[in-house]
Amino acid sequence: MTIIMLLLTLLVLSALITVMARTLIRSAIALACTSVLLTIILYVLASPVAAVFELSICAGLITVILISVISLTKSDSQKDAVAAAKGRLKRFWYLPVLLIAVGIGLYFAPFHAVFVTAPIETDAGIKSVFWNMRQFDIFGQIIILLTGVFGVAVLFKERRKNG
Amino acid sequence: MGDFGQQLFLLTGTGAMLIITGFYCILVSRNLIRTLIGIELLSKAITLFIIIAGYMTNRTALAQSIAITFIILEVVVMVVGAGLVIGVYSKSGSINARVLQGIEGQEDSRE
């Protein structure tokens, strides 16, 4: 119980750091830290396979994608960057206040009773669910993966033509 | 309220806070890469919610397989978004959303 409270607090804090960080690289690394904390929470919630996927894809692959995008695009000039950093704090300081207000509001809200649910049944193992129960939405997943592949192919083709 | 219910309340409240953080990031930031990061925070909250639902009803196998599907689709969204950001940058030389407001469509000169 105390471990999960600590983990959830750290998760919200690292999400806050992700949004409030001044440079994009720091923001991407804080996002990876959020992924790692979410991995530990998923493991505590008895979902080790999803935790492994979250760790390897969200903390690994997406960080690589974000850092390559950051290095491929150059941000504004130095003067603009300083002005933006000055203006940033003015726009972003509402977020911690909002989060604290929402947290206090949720804590004193009267719907604690909704969450008293008992486990209803145990189910089959993840292997049988993954390979036997989901013939239909695997098709959708394949179509979306192909959409992603063709989208990236079209985008990069156009970029080469223009450059 | 039992210990189980309190734990679920804490988990769901954290998910709600993550969703607020992601929406704030998308709404307030002007950098396109920060918008991608906001989408990423939102999808982390949704992964957490799917797993909480599976944990609540003791159907973790189904919840895990759906979460894995969601994580894979999240990567597709991120890759296409990254390609769009790079395309916008090579076209207009900036990734500031304010700069993009003045862009108009271009006719194809080969026609």
Side-chain angles (χ1 to χ4, degrees):
Chain A
M1 189 67 198
T2 49
I3 290 175
I4 207 159
M5 271 183 79
L6 185 68
L7 284 173
L8 293 175
T9 316
L10 284 177
L11 184 71
V12 173
L13 271 182
S14 65
L16 200 60
I17 291 171
T18 306
V19 180
M20 307 271 289
R22 187 166 294 178
T23 63
L24 283 170
I25 292 283
R26 278 185 205 166
S27 197
I29 291 171
L31 188 69
C33 290
T34 315
S35 280
V36 172
L37 287 166
L38 184 61
T39 301
I40 304 171
I41 290 170
L42 295 191
Y43 190 79
V44 171
L45 292 183
S47 310
V49 183
V52 167
F53 266 81
E54 173 77 27
L55 183 63
S56 59
I57 291 181
C58 290
L61 181 61
I62 286 183
T63 311
V64 171
I65 292 171
L66 276 179
I67 288 180
S68 30
V69 173
I70 292 167
S71 59
L72 278 175
T73 58
K74 195 179 61 188
S75 60
D76 307 335
S77 65
Q78 192 67 34
K79 206 175 71 182
D80 288 346
V82 170
K86 221 176 269 177
R88 269 183 60 75
L89 207 62
K90 212 181 290 174
R91 285 182 286 137
F92 278 89
W93 72 269
Y94 296 103
L95 182 59
V97 179
L98 190 67
L99 278 185
I100 291 170
V102 168
I104 292 174
L106 278 179
Y107 189 74
F108 289 110
F111 43 74
H112 282 63
V114 177
F115 291 94
V116 188
T117 50
I120 45 177
E121 58 182 275
T122 55
D123 59 352
I126 184 165
K127 265 185 210 163
S128 67
V129 170
F130 199 81
W131 294 111
N132 298 336
M133 281 175 60
R134 305 183 48 221
Q135 287 97 345
F136 182 67
D137 72 309
I138 290 286
F139 278 112
Q141 191 175 353
I142 290 170
I143 289 170
I144 293 175
L145 277 175
L146 282 177
T147 312
V149 169
F150 287 130
V152 169
V154 167
L155 280 170
F156 278 84
K157 198 171 132 202
E158 202 164 342
R159 185 173 162 235
R160 197 174 60 226
K161 208 191 302 166
N162 288 332
Chain B
M1 186 180 62
D3 198 32
F4 190 66
Q6 194 179 3
Q7 193 180 1
L8 290 179
F9 177 74
L10 281 174
L11 287 166
T12 337
T14 310
M17 282 185 173
L18 274 184
I19 282 189
I20 289 171
T21 316
F23 270 122
Y24 195 91
C25 187
I26 292 175
L27 285 176
V28 174
S29 61
R30 291 170 193 159
N31 193 327
L32 290 180
I33 299 176
R34 272 189 205 278
T35 310
L36 282 184
I37 289 174
I39 294 173
E40 192 59 30
L41 280 177
L42 277 181
S43 42
K44 283 193 200 323
I46 289 165
T47 312
L48 182 63
F49 272 134
I50 292 172
I51 295 293
I52 290 169
Y55 182 70
M56 247 168 128
T57 54
N58 210 3
R59 283 183 189 146
T60 49
L62 187 60
Q64 281 184 81
S65 64
I66 292 175
I68 289 167
T69 308
F70 184 74
I71 287 169
I72 291 168
L73 299 189
E74 186 185 330
V75 173
V76 174
V77 169
M78 278 303 287
V79 169
V80 175
L84 275 175
V85 170
I86 292 173
V88 163
Y89 179 72
S90 66
K91 199 106 172 170
S92 71
S94 172
I95 49 171
N96 195 337
R98 286 293 165 94
V99 178
L100 299 179
Q101 284 178 349
I103 286 181
E104 292 172 1
Q106 225 175 12
E107 283 185 30
D108 201 342
S109 56
R110 288 169 302 169
E111 292 291 324

